Structure formats: C-alpha cells, structure tokens
C-alpha cells in the first residue's frame, strides 16, 4: 500500500491517504478479538436495541422502560398535597395541572392527618431510618386529599408529579418546578393502580367519593 492507489471499503484512496491508514488497517488483522473490538464502532444501528451473544459488552443494549407504564384502562389514584404545599399556597396550582390534563376529580378535602393514619399510609417504609421524620412531617399541618380518575391516571400522574428528589425532576413537572428537597417535595401520588384504590379507601370515608360525568368527556376520550 506504499504506491499506486488503495481501495478501502469500496472507496479509492490516494497514496498519501492510504499510507496514513496503513497502521489502522493492520490493527484489523491482529486477531479475531481485536478485529471485533475495532469494528464494533461501525455496527449497524439496527443492533442498538437488541442483544447479540456475538457482541460482548459490559453494557447490555436493552431498551429502557419506565417503572410504570400507562394503561388504557380507567383507573383511580390518590393524590395528596403535603403540608409544605398547603403552607406555600400551591393547592390551586397543583389541582389545575391535573384538571388541564383531563383527569376527573372525584374527591377533595382539607384534612389534618392523625399519626395512626400516616403510619398506615406509609407502612411499607416502617423499616427506613427516616420513617419517624416522615410521619412528623405529614402530621405537621393540614394536607389536601384528592381522588382522581382517568385512563392511565396512575402512571400519568406520577409523570406529572416528577421524581421523588425534586432536583432530579424534569422541568414542567410539579416537583421539578415547585420544590428543591426530597423532604419537602410538595405532593404524593399512588405508585400503582392497586395502591390507588387502597389509599383512596384509607383517606376517604364511604360517600365522600363522587360519581359524576364531565360534560367535556367526549372531547377528552374517543
């Protein structure tokens, strides 16, 4: 390859260019292992989201899926504006985000949470070292309890709320726009359809959840 022209990958190269590639070309002939590692950079994009046993990598190229995927079923979720959200006057702001999304409010009340109810609500976190502080926080002032209904409302509400740590929450989410600390993250949302039903039953008495049909419903759902 030190005279004339060279053909590389179907392209004709001049002597000056081909000589500058000589070192790199020789790398492909060292061994099958070296050849694989260098040619990996030229893999087809069709392999980006598949796992091939012939391609060894410490990172598995699987598609990332969120923890909770919105369903096409009508669901219920429990949303609670925490004491800091109430004290900061964010109640109207937060409610409007769910209304604008098109979800249906079926229950709403301002409520002072007793310690026993807070402990039952967060019972899955009893073993955590921050549990006593969490209970003290939730019972430190009134909360706004809400039940919302809609297609895929549980997953969608979680996206509207944003990440638990507000500093990691995306701009446009409630926590991303309105909070800065995990310990003052403004709002709670059910993390599954099952917990949505459980929490609504826990925070609302029989008869407090309303069944009604919004007149705008035909413009929100097919």
């Amino acid at each position: 390859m030190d005279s004339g022209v060279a053909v590389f990958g179907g392209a004709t190269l001049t002597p000056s260019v081909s000589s500058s590639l000589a070192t790199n070309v020789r790398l492909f002939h060292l061994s099958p292992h070296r050849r694989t590692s260098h040619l990996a950079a030229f893999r087809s994009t069709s392999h980006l989201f598949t796992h091939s046993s012939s391609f060894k990598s410490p990172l598995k190229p699987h598609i990332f899926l969120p923890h909770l995927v919105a369903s096409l079923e009508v669901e219920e979720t429990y949303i609670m504006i925490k004491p800091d959200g109430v004290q900061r006057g964010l109640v109207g702001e937060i409610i409007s985000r769910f209304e604008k999304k098109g979800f249906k409010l079926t229950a709403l009340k301002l409520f002072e949470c007793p310690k026993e109810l807070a402990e039952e609500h967060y019972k899955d976190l009893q073993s955590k070292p921050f549990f006593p502080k969490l209970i003290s926080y939730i019972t430190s002032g009134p909360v706004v309890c809400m039940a919302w209904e809609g297609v895929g409302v549980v997953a969608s509400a979680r996206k509207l709320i944003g990440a638990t740590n507000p500093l990691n929450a995306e701009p446009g989410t409630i926590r991303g726009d309105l909070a800065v600390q995990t310990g003052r993250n403004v709002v709670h949302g059910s993390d599954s359809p099952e917990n949505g039903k459980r929490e609504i039953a826990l925070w609302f008495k029989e008869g407090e959840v309303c069944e009604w049909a919004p007149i705008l419903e035909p413009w929100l759902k097919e």
Side-chain angles (χ1 to χ4, degrees):
M1 298 181 68
D2 54 358
S3 65
V5 297
V7 177
F8 186 78
T12 301
L13 306 178
T14 64
S16 60
V17 176
S18 61
S19 62
S20 67
L21 290 172
T23 302
N24 289 331
V25 171
R26 284 196 295 272
L27 288 174
F28 297 132
H29 297 281
L30 292 176
S31 69
H33 174 72
R34 292 296 298 270
R35 185 162 57 249
T36 300
S37 63
H38 283 277
L39 290 175
F42 301 97
R43 289 174 60 83
S44 167
T45 55
S46 64
H47 296 290
L48 289 177
F49 301 117
T50 59
H51 179 72
S52 172
S53 58
S54 63
F55 178 58
K56 304 298 183 181
S57 170
L59 298 176
K60 295 183 179 180
H62 294 307
I63 298 175
F64 171 77
L65 293 176
H67 169 66
L68 196 60
V69 179
S71 76
L72 298 178
E73 301 295 324
V74 175
E75 301 170 340
E76 296 175 294
T77 190
Y78 174 69
I79 303 296
M80 177 172 64
I81 303 175
K82 298 177 180 180
D84 52 319
V86 176
Q87 292 285 355
R88 292 175 55 200
L90 299 176
V91 174
E93 165 82 13
I94 293 170
I95 291 176
S96 71
R97 298 204 180 196
F98 291 93
E99 288 182 320
K100 290 175 182 177
K101 181 70 175 177
F103 295 132
K104 181 172 71 174
L105 181 64
T106 58
L108 171 69
K109 66 180 178 182
L110 185 68
F111 184 67
E112 291 194 41
C113 177
K115 182 179 179 181
E116 295 76 16
L117 178 57
E119 290 175 341
E120 177 64 22
H121 176 83
Y122 288 110
K123 64 181 181 180
D124 292 342
L125 302 175
Q126 284 181 342
S127 60
K128 302 295 183 180
F130 58 80
F131 184 73
K133 191 174 181 179
L134 173 62
I135 299 304
S136 177
Y137 160 53
I138 293 299
T139 58
S140 64
V143 298
V144 172
C145 311
M146 295 179 285
W148 291 88
E149 182 182 293
V151 175
V153 68
V154 174
S156 188
R158 297 280 289 184
K159 291 176 182 178
L160 284 173
I161 290 170
T164 300
N165 183 347
L167 295 181
N168 295 332
E170 292 293 327
T173 64
I174 293 171
R175 288 171 175 162
D177 289 348
L178 304 176
V180 294
Q181 278 193 333
T182 300
R184 295 291 184 270
N185 62 9
V186 178
V187 64
H188 161 85
S190 302
D191 60 6
S192 69
E194 294 74 23
N195 269 342
K197 293 180 179 180
R198 183 187 77 86
E199 291 172 357
I200 289 173
L202 189 64
W203 289 84
F204 290 99
K205 299 176 182 178
E206 186 176 353
E208 289 184 332
V209 178
C210 301
E211 294 292 335
W212 62 288
I215 59 173
L216 294 178
E217 191 166 13
W219 302 105
L220 295 169
K221 296 186 297 182
E222 291 181 331

